[in-house]
């Protein structure tokens, strides 16, 4: 959801006017937004350089309180929608990297060093040796996530690419050359929509002054002083990590297993198959209304879909360990928090968070966008 919100609300840099917004004495040479955009895209196309750092994600989206879903832990995608979460990254090349997700009393690590790959889960004291070639483009957070124990990690670079690749002329753009992020001098682009129906006040993107690598992305909701969503480096070094960061030996007493990469991928694919089939079914009727900051996605969707039920099956037939019941409880809580709305088109229920609104109509449509509920009601009548 945070990624989708950033993608929907991203504004233009090249298409919109450039507004000077330098605060204090510039530390870095002044650059226009167009020049910064070109530098950032060039850095992204050349590929990542060896580096290490700690990424902190903080989300305060104002999501209604929902029951904890079965199997949802502190490193699950659902858990990443609230609170603060940390990810440690070491990158020495496509076959030499490490990701660590610390938990409250645990840590999950993926360590890849040439043809050696380990998945360490401290909560169960289990070390899994992964047999097969694992490369950085297949790491969590990239196009093909492996293995399922780690979340789909999202870095400032990945979110910034979504922001930088989209264009909208209805955007005010500001540039600052005096920012400090993770102890490094940085440029900051500020993108603000002019359309009052957008829930986004502004998006701030900080680029490293030397490498032009995105260091931080902040998304502010209207009438809010603090970011509703923020992800950025708290520390970063653009030097090759020490070799010992990529070595791993299972500690004494740990359970050691072996599993092939193909088995892990097959397991992940099996778990995702039902969701994918459902997503394809919904995507068949997906369309968008509007563009830029106020784009609204419209798709066929019902309360049955919200509860995660497969058509033709009753409650309790899908999932394991009560996950179906948990999904139903979450759906009930979400609908209870929704506000009834109506118009010539019919009626429905709308849920608004700080950055995203969603309208579920009684005639089986779901409208979602980073816009006000009033905008969704207007679109529903088209």
């Amino acid at each position: 959801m945070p990624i989708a919100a950033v993608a929907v609300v991203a504004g233009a840099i090249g298409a919109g006017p450039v507004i000077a917004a330098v605060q204090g004495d510039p530390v870095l040479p002044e650059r226009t937004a167009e020049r910064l955009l070109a530098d950032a895209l060039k850095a992204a196309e050349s590929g990542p350089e060896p580096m290490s750092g700690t990424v902190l994600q903080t989300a305060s989206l104002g999501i209604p309180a929902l029951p904890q879903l079965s199997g949802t832990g502190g490193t699950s995608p659902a858990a990443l929608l609230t609170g603060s979460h940390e990810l440690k990254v070491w990158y020495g090349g496509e076959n030499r990297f490490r990701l660590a997700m610390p938990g409250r009393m645990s840590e999950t690590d993926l360590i890849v060093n040439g043809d050696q790959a380990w998945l360490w889960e401290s909560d169960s004291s289990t070390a899994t040796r992964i047999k097969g070639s694992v490369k950085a483009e297949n790491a969590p957070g990239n196009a093909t996530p492996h293995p399922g124990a780690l979340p789909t990690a999202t870095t400032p670079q990945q979110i910034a690419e979504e922001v930088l690749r989209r264009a909208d002329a209805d955007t005010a753009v500001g540039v600052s050359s005096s920012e400090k992020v993770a102890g490094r001098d940085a440029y900051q682009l500020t993108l603000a929509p002019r359309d009052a129906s957008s829930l986004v006040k502004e998006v701030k993107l900080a680029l490293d002054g030397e490498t032009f690598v995105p260091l931080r992305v902040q998304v502010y909701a209207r009438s809010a002083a603090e970011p509703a969503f923020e992800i950025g480096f708290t520390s970063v070094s653009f030097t090759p990590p020490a070799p010992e960061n990529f070595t791993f030996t299972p500690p004494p007493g740990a359970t050691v297993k072996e599993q092939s990469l193909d088995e892990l991928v097959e397991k992940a694919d099996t778990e995702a198959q039902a969701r994918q089939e459902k997503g394809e079914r919904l995507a068949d009727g997906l369309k968008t209304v509007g563009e830029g900051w106020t784009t609204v996605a419209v798709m066929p969707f019902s309360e049955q879909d919200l509860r995660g039920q497969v058509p033709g099956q009753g409650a309790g037939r899908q999932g394991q360990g009560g996950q179906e019941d948990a999904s139903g409880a979450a759906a009930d809580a979400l609908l209870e928090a929704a506000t009834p709305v109506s118009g010539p088109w019919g009626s429905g229920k709308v849920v608004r968070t700080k950055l995203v609104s969603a309208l579920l109509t009684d005639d089986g449509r779901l409208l979602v966008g980073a816009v006000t509920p009033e905008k969704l009601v207007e679109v529903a009548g088209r």
Side-chain angles (χ1 to χ4, degrees), residues 50-284:
M51 54 83 68
S52 61
T54 299
V55 176
L56 183 66
Q57 174 195 299
T58 302
S60 177
L61 301 174
I63 297 174
L66 301 177
Q68 189 83 346
L69 293 179
S70 174
T72 298
T75 59
S76 72
L80 299 177
L81 296 178
T82 59
S84 296
H85 303 271
E86 189 176 81
L87 175 69
K88 298 180 179 179
V89 182
W90 298 261
Y91 180 77
E94 67 173 11
N95 62 349
R96 191 179 175 88
F97 63 91
R98 176 178 177 180
L99 301 174
M101 175 70 79
R104 290 182 179 178
M105 299 293 291
S106 63
E107 182 168 294
T108 302
D109 285 66
L110 176 65
I111 306 104
V112 176
N113 190 0
D115 59 355
Q116 296 287 323
W118 289 91
L119 177 65
W120 166 244
E121 300 167 277
S122 68
D123 56 349
S124 61
S125 191
T126 301
T128 303
R129 182 182 177 184
I130 304 172
K131 297 179 294 181
S133 177
V134 180
K135 294 186 178 182
E137 60 263 28
N138 293 329
N142 292 309
T144 307
H146 310 309
L150 278 170
T152 301
T154 303
T155 64
Q157 293 97 318
Q158 291 169 324
I159 290 184
E161 283 183 22
E162 294 294 331
V163 174
L164 293 175
R165 291 184 187 279
R166 295 174 184 266
D168 186 342
D170 193 22
T171 304
V173 182
V175 183
S176 169
S177 59
S178 58
E179 298 298 318
K180 279 280 189 181
V181 179
R184 296 182 64 89
D185 296 332
Y187 292 98
Q188 181 164 275
L189 290 167
T190 301
L191 300 87
R194 295 190 178 93
D195 194 323
S197 63
S198 171
L199 291 180
V200 177
K201 179 171 66 176
E202 59 188 8
V203 176
K204 294 183 178 180
L205 171 61
L207 300 173
D208 184 74
E210 181 180 348
T211 66
F212 302 104
V213 169
L215 298 179
R216 185 182 65 200
V217 179
Q218 299 170 306
V219 184
Y220 289 79
R222 294 192 180 276
S223 304
E226 299 296 326
F229 177 76
E230 176 177 357
I231 183 166
F233 286 98
T234 57
S235 65
V236 65
S237 173
F238 293 100
T239 57
E244 54 264 29
N245 288 304
F246 306 107
T247 60
F248 177 77
T249 302
T255 299
V256 180
K257 303 188 298 183
E258 284 197 354
Q259 195 166 12
S260 71
L261 182 62
D262 290 340
E263 290 173 336
L264 286 170
V265 173
E266 183 178 356
K267 179 182 178 182
D269 288 344
T270 300
E271 293 174 348
Q273 184 175 1
R275 294 191 297 271
Q276 181 178 355
E277 291 175 352
K278 176 181 175 182
E280 290 174 350
R281 175 171 59 86
L282 297 175
D284 286 341

Side-chain angles (χ1 to χ4, degrees), residues 367-382:
L367 294 83
V368 182
V371 297
T372 62
E374 292 77 13
K375 183 69 174 181
L376 294 184
V377 171
E378 173 196 331
V379 173
R382 296 184 185 178

Side-chain angles (χ1 to χ4, degrees), residues 286-374:
L286 175 65
K287 64 179 180 179
T288 60
V289 178
E291 58 185 14
W293 301 90
T294 56
T295 301
V296 174
V298 185
M299 68 188 77
F301 202 82
S302 64
E303 286 193 23
Q304 186 182 45
D305 295 312
L306 184 61
R307 297 174 189 280
Q309 298 175 8
V310 175
Q313 293 184 356
R317 292 286 302 278
Q318 182 183 355
Q320 297 179 356
Q323 186 169 351
E324 176 75 19
D325 294 336
S327 297
D332 290 339
L334 191 62
L335 292 172
E336 185 177 346
T339 301
V341 293
S342 62
W345 48 269
S347 59
K349 294 183 177 181
V350 65
V351 175
R352 171 176 173 169
T353 69
K354 291 180 180 179
L355 289 177
V356 177
S357 296
L359 168 61
L360 182 61
T361 66
D362 294 341
D363 60 10
R365 290 178 294 159
L366 177 65
L367 294 83
V368 182
V371 297
T372 62
E374 292 77 13

